[in-house]
Amino acid sequence: MEFSQLRIFQAVAEEGSITRAADRLHRVPSNLSTRLKQMEEQLGVELFVRERQRLQLSPAGKVLLDYSTRLLALHDEAHGAVQGGQPAGDFVLGSMYSTAAVHLPKLLARYHKAYPMVNLQVQSAPSGELLEGLITGRLDAAFVDGPITIASLDGVALCEERLVLICEADHPPVQGPQDVAGRSVFTFRRSCAYRTRLETWFSHERVAMGRAIEIESYQGMLACVIAGSGVALMSESMLESLPGKDSVSVHPLKGPFATATTWLMWRKGMLGANLNAWIDLQQAGKTAVLQDTRAIA
């Protein structure tokens, strides 16, 4: 097998579609179909089964995906090593939606400028799905709600977020979950760490949380809250970035629920040149911010 074949196989496995994988790899679908068929003939097994218009990995395909992920990671690491340890090749970074919107743009611009040979890709999802992507090897690193106590992962803190509950503009002060008991809650799907925090906030005071309504964007949550349909939890920095932020009332949470720390996580033993460069850039940025704050003080 060739590494190009493994990259095609991995893309199809992750996308569940030859067409979407072809778009991702900038190739024509017929080329991917041919290369996959050649792989299956070489191995003597079927790698995919079709279910409901989507390609699912066969048992043999699941085994190969684990090996291909490790082989491709080693390939990229070796590629960087023989170039003097310079960052190069694919680097897939996962991020929570809020982190991608607020904290990543400047870091991404600096990284692209410093390391143009890196093919940096960012995939946004809730924390639970990002952790799964790290463990399976689909992601090289990810920004998640932490700290995370998973033995196979390492990490470093990025920033601390202040958490706020937003309600319609004329809502009275919120001292605790009893003040919004029964209200609908706009949130991401269950794998979202902030949703888990909000559920814990309610259960800690033994207050029943209202019906959870899943929405896949903070802009959508804000619009629903402005309309008076319910409440939502988000970081203060995320709220500040949204048009319409002045049309809601803002209620900081208290005690252990007041803040959350965003961490950059990666698999132990997979700290290659690309990730090392990102960590150095991230830490340098934090130092610069701290120095500016002290200068102002």
Side-chain angles (χ1 to χ4, degrees):
M1 290 181 292
E2 301 174 359
F3 279 103
S4 59
Q5 287 178 306
L6 290 176
R7 291 196 188 279
I8 290 172
F9 165 72
Q10 185 182 56
V12 174
E14 292 174 357
E15 298 293 341
S17 163
I18 288 178
T19 301
R20 289 197 295 271
D23 290 340
R24 170 173 154 182
L25 299 175
H26 307 293
R27 298 193 182 202
V28 296
S30 59
N31 176 261
L32 269 63
S33 296
T34 300
R35 299 296 296 276
L36 285 176
K37 185 177 180 180
Q38 291 173 346
M39 284 186 70
E40 290 179 325
E41 290 175 350
Q42 291 170 359
L43 295 170
V45 296
E46 289 188 352
L47 298 174
F48 295 93
V49 293
R50 185 175 294 279
E51 294 182 357
R52 297 180 182 178
Q53 304 303 312
R54 180 179 174 86
L55 289 176
Q56 300 284 357
L57 285 170
S58 67
K62 292 179 181 179
V63 173
L64 181 60
L65 181 61
D66 179 58
Y67 280 101
S68 64
T69 298
R70 287 184 280 168
L71 285 169
L72 290 171
L74 286 171
H75 173 271
D76 292 340
E77 185 176 335
H79 189 270
V82 298
Q83 290 186 329
Q86 292 300 309
D90 292 336
F91 180 38
V92 185
L93 184 65
S95 175
M96 296 185 294
Y97 297 108
S98 56
T99 306
V102 177
H103 299 292
L104 284 196
K106 290 184 179 179
L107 284 169
L108 289 172
R110 290 166 56 197
Y111 193 87
H112 276 303
K113 184 176 180 179
Y115 307 106
M117 296 302 294
V118 176
N119 175 29
L120 177 58
Q121 305 169 39
V122 178
Q123 299 181 8
S124 296
S127 281
E129 294 178 21
L130 295 174
L131 290 172
E132 181 182 356
L134 283 178
I135 293 170
T136 60
R138 179 172 55 84
L139 300 173
D140 295 310
F143 288 103
V144 299
D145 180 36
I148 302 299
T149 56
I150 298 178
S152 60
L153 300 180
D154 273 333
V156 61
L158 170 69
C159 63
E160 186 175 88
E161 298 281 13
R162 188 174 181 227
L163 299 182
V164 296
L165 191 77
I166 59 172
C167 308
E168 63 268 27
D170 59 353
H171 196 284
V174 175
Q175 301 299 327
Q178 65 276 1
D179 294 326
V180 288
R183 298 294 307 276
S184 294
V185 175
F186 298 100
T187 182
F188 289 106
R189 49 193 180 272
R190 288 194 176 276
S191 53
C192 173
Y194 282 11
R195 174 172 175 167
T196 301
R197 285 180 179 273
L198 190 58
E199 291 171 343
T200 304
W201 182 64
F202 276 96
S203 64
H204 185 263
E205 297 295 328
R206 298 182 180 179
V207 174
M209 190 176 88
R211 181 164 60 101
I213 301 175
E214 296 181 359
I215 295 184
E216 290 302 299
S217 75
Y218 282 111
Q219 292 87 345
M221 292 180 196
L222 179 60
C224 291
V225 172
I226 291 174
S229 301
V231 303
L233 178 72
M234 62 183 68
S235 67
E236 189 176 48
S237 62
M238 184 69 236
L239 177 62
E240 286 299 313
S241 74
L242 297 175
K245 63 181 183 296
D246 296 327
S247 300
V248 295
S249 59
V250 182
H251 311 272
L253 299 192
K254 298 179 180 179
F257 306 101
T259 60
T261 303
T262 300
W263 281 66
L264 175 67
M265 306 295 298
W266 62 88
R267 285 169 292 153
K268 288 183 178 179
M270 301 303 290
L271 195 59
N274 293 343
L275 180 53
N276 265 321
W278 179 277
I279 294 171
D280 289 344
L281 183 147
Q282 175 180 309
Q283 297 302 94
K286 289 174 63 176
T287 301
V289 170
L290 180 60
Q291 291 174 342
D292 289 344
T293 303
R294 288 174 176 172
I296 293 173

